[in-house]
């Protein structure tokens, strides 16, 4: 079984000014003359916005709340700081001032809604829009979605999967599979894209009558999923898997970063809930104000502990991975091979370890032969050293650093070597840490992760959707009462 686990060697997913949306840039000083009047928000129950005229901005420290997902099933608040405005000098960033007002007033669903046993025991009809295909395209979310479909079906739900047409199997755990004609991404030819908005697909989804639509994001298909959700009046959840603003400068023009942020904000503000694969990405989306903070939830990681098991240890495979030198120290790189993985940094590491051997597990658009002059191999394995960036600290938390693995500072060659060498040459340390890592990994189960999404996060999305719909209908209800007043009843 070929399994790919994506890791980042030296690329941090934290936002920096060159990759940030325009309103996060240090020199931002935007104004808006068409911003809604404060009286509208007062009547809607929002705090008054006192001033919208263009005024200078004075940077001061202001405390703000951000989510911290690590080590808890529910988001905890942590304090952070951002640029604010003094009492006499108000910030005039129209769009994001509005979002901040909404965020502060936004109510979260009560726990009784999230953990309703009667509702959770009822079978659901779930339509998944996944691009590219989780059945054919090698990516970090392939196993995530395959296990998600598997356990949704095990829990008794009806599942429809709309995806790009390449490699769609005839059957997958009884789910209904629909392939949509695709085209290659102009800047990344190996990634197939599809709008999935043909009459055939719209009719199939309408006939399926989903209780909720779940779409992967960003991409092209998510637009089709959003259109169908609005057309059928169905709640929509978007799971954000690829941090495109970080990757754009490596694959195409840097000036596309800001338009990409606008697209992401448009999509996820229209969604009823956003799922993210790591706390680092959750923080990035919250800092960028992509959507309300309480609508961003963590999709917990999972591991197939049966497929990845020490019982499959093989000396023959070690001979293959080490190119016929099994006695040499062996380093295994696990992840998709792309420009963003900074494999040149790994080459610098290997230049300092001449007696070590390296094997690559995974595939992708990047040609490693040009850098390492070696053959690629594919087999299941684990890693114990990872960059302190992106989602890796979710796998090796700070309190487990040095116990189940090591985190090194991205781009710091000496730090990486200081963490690698003890593991390569100290067998007792390597075995002790490997056993601890195995025990920690067994805590993460795809069934439990799927149950949390199905029972808690889907319930939250439906609650937000019902609340939004009630707010939209309120003006029409008010108008109807004025036009058709109820007759007074004399007692």
């Amino acid at each position: 079984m070929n399994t790919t686990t994506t890791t980042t060697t030296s690329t941090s997913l934290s936002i920096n000014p060159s990759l940030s949306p325009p309103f996060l840039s240090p020199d931002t000083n935007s104004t808006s003359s068409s911003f809604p009047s404060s009286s509208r928000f007062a009547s809607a129950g929002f705090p008054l916005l006192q001033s919208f005229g263009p005024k200078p901005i004075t940077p001061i420290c202001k405390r703000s709340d951000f989510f911290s997902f690590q080590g808890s099933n529910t988001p905890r608040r942590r304090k952070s700081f951002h640029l604010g405005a003094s009492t006499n000098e108000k910030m005039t960033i129209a769009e994001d001032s509005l979002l901040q007002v909404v965020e502060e007033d936004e109510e979260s669903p009560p726990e009784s809604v999230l953990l309703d046993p009667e509702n959770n025991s009822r079978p659901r009809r779930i339509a998944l829009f996944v691009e590219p295909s989780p059945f054919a395209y090698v990516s970090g979310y392939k196993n995530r979605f395959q296990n998600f479909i598997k356990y949704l079906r095990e829990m008794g739900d009806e599942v429809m999967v709309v995806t790009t047409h390449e490699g769609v199997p005839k059957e997958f755990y009884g789910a209904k599979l629909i392939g949509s004609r695709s085209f290659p991404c102009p800047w990344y030819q190996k990634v197939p894209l599809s709008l999935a908005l043909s009459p055939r697909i719209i009719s199939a989804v309408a006939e399926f009558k989903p209780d909720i639509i779940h779409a992967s994001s960003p991409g092209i298909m998510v637009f089709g999923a959003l259109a169908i959700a609005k057309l059928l009046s169905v709640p929509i959840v978007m799971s954000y898997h690829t941090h495109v603003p970080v990757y754009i400068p490596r694959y195409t023009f840097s000036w596309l970063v800001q338009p990409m942020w606008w697209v992401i904000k448009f999509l996820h503000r229209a969604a009823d809930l956003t799922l993210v694969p790591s706390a680092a990405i959750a923080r990035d989306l919250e800092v960028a104000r992509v959507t309300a903070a309480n609508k961003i939830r963590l999709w917990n990681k999972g591991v197939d502990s049966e497929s990845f098991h020490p019982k499959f240890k093989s000396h023959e495979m070690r001979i293959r991975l080490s190119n016929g030198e099994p006695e040499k120290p062996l380093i295994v790189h696990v992840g998709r091979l792309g420009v963003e993985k900074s494999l040149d940094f790994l080459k610098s590491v290997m230049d300092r370890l001449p007696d070590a051997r390296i094997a690559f597990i995974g595939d992708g658009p990047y040609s490693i032969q040009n850098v390492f002059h070696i053959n690629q191999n594919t087999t299941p394995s684990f890693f114990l050293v990872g960059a302190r960036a992106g989602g890796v600290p979710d796998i090796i938390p700070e309190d487990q650093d040095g116990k189940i693995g090591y985190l090194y500072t991205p781009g710091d060659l000496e730090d990486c070597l200081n963490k690698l060498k003890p593991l390569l040459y100290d067998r007792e340390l390597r075995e002790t840490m490997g056993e601890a890592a195995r025990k920690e990994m067994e805590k993460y189960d795809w069934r439990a992760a799927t149950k949390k999404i199905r029972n808690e996060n889907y319930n939250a999305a439906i609650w937000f959707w019902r609340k939004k719909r009630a707010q939209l209908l309120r003006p029409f209800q008010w108008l109807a009462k004025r036009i058709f007043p109820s007759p007074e009843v004399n007692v």
Side-chain angles (χ1 to χ4, degrees):
M1 176 178 177
N2 296 340
T3 305
T4 300
T5 303
T6 303
T7 64
T8 305
T9 55
S10 64
T11 302
S12 173
L13 294 185
S14 298
I15 292 177
N16 61 60
S18 63
L19 302 180
S20 298
F23 52 84
L24 290 177
S25 301
D27 58 348
T28 302
N29 187 16
S30 60
T31 62
S32 175
S33 59
S34 59
F35 198 74
S37 66
S38 59
S39 60
R40 285 182 56 187
F41 292 99
S43 63
F46 295 116
L48 288 178
L49 303 179
Q50 297 176 1
S51 174
F52 294 99
K55 293 183 179 179
I57 298 175
T58 300
I60 62 171
C61 284
K62 175 184 175 184
R63 292 205 313 181
S64 176
D65 288 341
F66 288 88
F67 278 143
S68 176
F69 288 89
Q70 193 153 326
S72 173
N73 292 330
T74 57
R76 301 195 309 273
R77 294 285 181 176
R78 66 177 177 85
K79 297 299 180 184
S80 184
F81 294 92
H82 62 82
L83 289 179
S86 65
T87 305
N88 298 323
E89 298 168 312
K90 304 298 180 182
M91 295 190 73
T92 57
I93 304 174
E95 179 184 12
D96 296 287
S97 297
L98 171 59
L99 182 62
Q100 187 173 9
V101 171
V102 174
E103 284 181 0
E104 291 173 355
D105 187 72
E106 190 68 74
E107 181 185 359
S108 294
E111 192 169 313
S112 59
V113 171
L114 302 181
L115 304 177
D116 182 1
E118 182 179 350
N119 185 46
N120 291 338
S121 63
R122 190 181 305 121
R124 287 180 171 170
R125 304 178 69 82
I126 300 165
L128 300 175
F129 286 72
V130 188
E131 175 196 52
S133 170
F135 308 111
Y137 182 71
V138 178
S139 64
Y141 66 76
K142 178 179 179 179
N143 287 336
R144 184 181 293 268
F145 272 106
Q146 286 193 2
N147 281 285
F148 188 57
I149 296 166
K150 172 184 175 181
Y151 289 113
L152 284 177
R153 292 290 298 135
E154 183 181 280
M155 294 172 191
D157 294 331
E158 294 296 320
V159 180
M160 168 184 280
V161 183
V162 179
T163 188
T164 49
H165 73 280
E166 297 93 342
V168 176
K170 293 182 178 179
E171 194 275 338
F172 192 80
Y173 292 100
K176 183 176 182 180
L177 310 177
I178 300 178
S180 177
R181 300 298 300 179
S182 61
F183 58 91
C185 176
W187 299 285
Y188 198 166
Q189 293 291 317
K190 289 189 176 182
V191 175
L193 303 173
S194 176
L195 185 58
L197 203 54
S198 67
R200 173 179 65 91
I201 292 177
I202 295 174
S203 298
V205 177
E207 184 178 345
F208 181 68
K209 297 179 180 178
D211 297 309
I212 197 163
I213 289 176
H214 179 162
S216 64
S217 169
I220 300 297
M221 188 175 289
V222 64
F223 285 93
L226 178 60
I228 293 175
K230 299 304 181 186
L231 182 66
L232 301 180
S233 189
V234 175
I236 182 168
V237 171
M238 294 182 188
S239 49
Y240 183 91
H241 297 277
T242 305
H243 212 358
V244 175
V246 172
Y247 296 157
I248 282 178
R250 296 180 173 91
Y251 287 96
T252 183
F253 307 108
S254 295
W255 60 266
L256 290 172
V257 171
Q258 291 183 359
M260 189 68 235
W261 274 116
W262 297 335
V263 170
I264 292 170
K265 289 171 66 176
F266 167 80
L267 288 169
H268 288 268
R269 289 183 184 182
D272 299 295
L273 199 75
T274 292
L275 301 175
V276 292
S278 73
I281 292 182
R283 288 191 291 269
D284 282 357
L285 295 190
E286 186 178 351
V287 169
R289 296 184 178 177
V290 166
T291 185
N294 62 342
K295 289 187 177 181
I296 301 176
R297 306 294 171 91
L298 183 64
W299 188 343
N300 293 329
K301 58 184 176 291
V303 177
D304 184 348
S305 58
E306 287 302 314
S307 298
F308 293 89
H309 197 281
K311 66 184 178 183
F312 295 115
K313 183 178 180 179
S314 167
H315 184 69
E316 289 73 19
M317 181 56 69
R318 184 177 178 89
I319 293 174
R320 177 185 171 190
L321 294 176
S322 62
N323 199 25
E325 298 179 284
E327 73 284 356
K328 297 287 186 179
L330 176 62
I331 297 173
V332 179
H333 175 276
V334 183
R336 195 178 65 87
L337 302 178
V339 176
E340 71 279 4
K341 302 303 180 183
S342 300
L343 296 181
D344 290 337
F345 176 80
L346 186 54
K347 175 63 165 59
S348 301
V349 172
M350 296 307 299
D351 288 342
R352 298 279 296 274
L353 300 170
D355 60 333
R357 298 294 175 263
I358 187 168
F360 288 86
I361 296 177
D363 198 0
Y366 195 81
S367 176
I368 61 172
Q369 285 88 351
N370 295 335
V371 179
F372 290 92
H373 307 289
I374 64 173
N375 295 322
Q376 298 184 49
N377 297 286
T378 304
T379 186
S381 187
F382 300 97
F383 71 88
L384 293 171
V385 179
R388 189 181 285 102
V392 178
D394 292 345
I395 302 172
I396 309 177
E398 291 291 340
D399 62 341
Q400 295 292 326
D401 189 6
K403 299 177 182 178
I404 64 171
Y406 285 123
L407 293 171
Y408 69 88
T409 303
D412 190 332
L413 181 59
E414 295 303 323
D415 188 29
C416 182
L417 289 169
N418 290 337
K419 304 296 173 58
L420 269 175
K421 286 180 179 179
L423 289 171
L424 291 176
Y425 302 110
D426 188 336
R427 180 171 182 174
E428 183 178 353
L429 172 65
R430 187 169 62 245
E431 291 179 351
T432 300
M433 191 173 287
E435 290 174 2
R438 172 71 193 182
K439 290 179 181 178
E440 180 70 14
M441 179 272 294
E442 288 174 346
K443 298 177 183 177
Y444 301 103
D445 178 64
W446 280 120
R447 182 183 287 103
T450 301
K451 186 177 181 180
K452 185 175 181 66
I453 296 297
R454 180 197 184 275
N455 291 351
E456 296 184 31
N457 294 328
Y458 279 1
N459 285 350
I462 293 170
W463 187 89
F464 281 122
W465 173 77
R466 287 173 176 167
K467 182 181 179 183
K468 185 191 300 182
R469 186 173 63 170
Q471 291 172 340
L472 291 173
L473 291 176
R474 196 169 297 155
F476 299 100
Q477 293 170 343
W478 177 88
L479 185 62
K481 289 180 180 179
R482 296 300 181 273
I483 298 176
F484 307 105
S486 300
E488 294 184 3
V489 178
N490 297 322
V491 180

